[in-house]
Amino acid sequence: MRSRPVRSVLFVCVHNAGRSQMAAGFLRELAGDAVEVRSAGSVPADQINPVAVQAMAEVGVDITDQRPKILTMEDAEASDVVITMGCGDVCPAFPGRRHEDWELADPAGQGLDAVRAIRDEIRVRVERLVSELAGGRASTPPSR
């Protein structure tokens, strides 16, 4: 039986087709098995944004096997860190979890150059998150 990874991160955006998928792809790539990675959307799209897939492929991260998923309470409750991505009131906060909101442009309908800039900003934020997770600063505050 596989033991639970040290940390679990959930990335949430409205359609789970661009920002959250790119962030999840980077986290899987950078943290490997040390972090359980989830992504979801409040209103998932039918497919991942093909321009996001292309932009990620350019930096060697393959997200072609991912599919947009609906946000569930179970996913949120099983996550130590919940990161929403510019979706405002549509993406809820979950009490008892570390929560961050990353204000990022929406790649939907954008050309490759714009999506590259979004991708690069996401990478910087995910690299910072990986560093924080490795340093133990991402744990949920004690509730007792």
Side-chain angles (χ1 to χ4, degrees):
M1 182 158 83
R2 186 177 155 220
S3 62
R4 185 173 185 257
V6 176
R7 302 277 188 261
S8 179
V9 177
L10 170 63
F11 294 103
V12 181
C13 67
V14 176
H15 297 120
N16 190 223
R19 294 167 289 193
S20 56
Q21 292 287 353
M22 289 190 286
F26 277 131
L27 186 56
R28 279 190 295 274
E29 183 75 18
L30 296 170
D33 291 339
V35 177
E36 185 175 1
V37 181
R38 296 179 176 91
S39 70
S42 52
V43 184
D46 293 331
Q47 67 179 15
I48 295 182
N49 180 336
V51 181
V53 171
Q54 181 181 356
M56 293 298 285
E58 289 180 346
V59 295
V61 179
D62 183 4
I63 60 172
T64 58
D65 64 340
Q66 300 300 308
R67 299 289 174 259
K69 296 170 257 345
I70 188 75
L71 175 63
T72 66
M73 282 301 285
E74 292 80 20
D75 282 340
E77 290 170 351
S79 301
D80 301 307
V81 180
V82 177
I83 298 175
T84 54
M85 310 186 96
C87 52
D89 294 340
V90 178
C91 294
F94 296 95
R97 305 286 175 264
R98 172 179 163 183
H99 177 260
E100 293 182 24
D101 184 48
W102 293 357
E103 285 290 329
L104 296 160
D106 187 349
Q110 302 283 342
L112 186 56
D113 286 340
V115 175
R116 284 178 180 137
I118 297 164
R119 174 203 65 202
D120 294 345
E121 177 62 26
I122 290 170
R123 182 179 196 126
V124 167
R125 292 176 189 226
V126 170
E127 287 172 343
R128 188 176 319 125
L129 177 65
V130 168
S131 177
E132 291 170 3
L133 291 171
R137 292 188 302 270
S139 61
T140 305
S143 59
R144 295 170 186 70

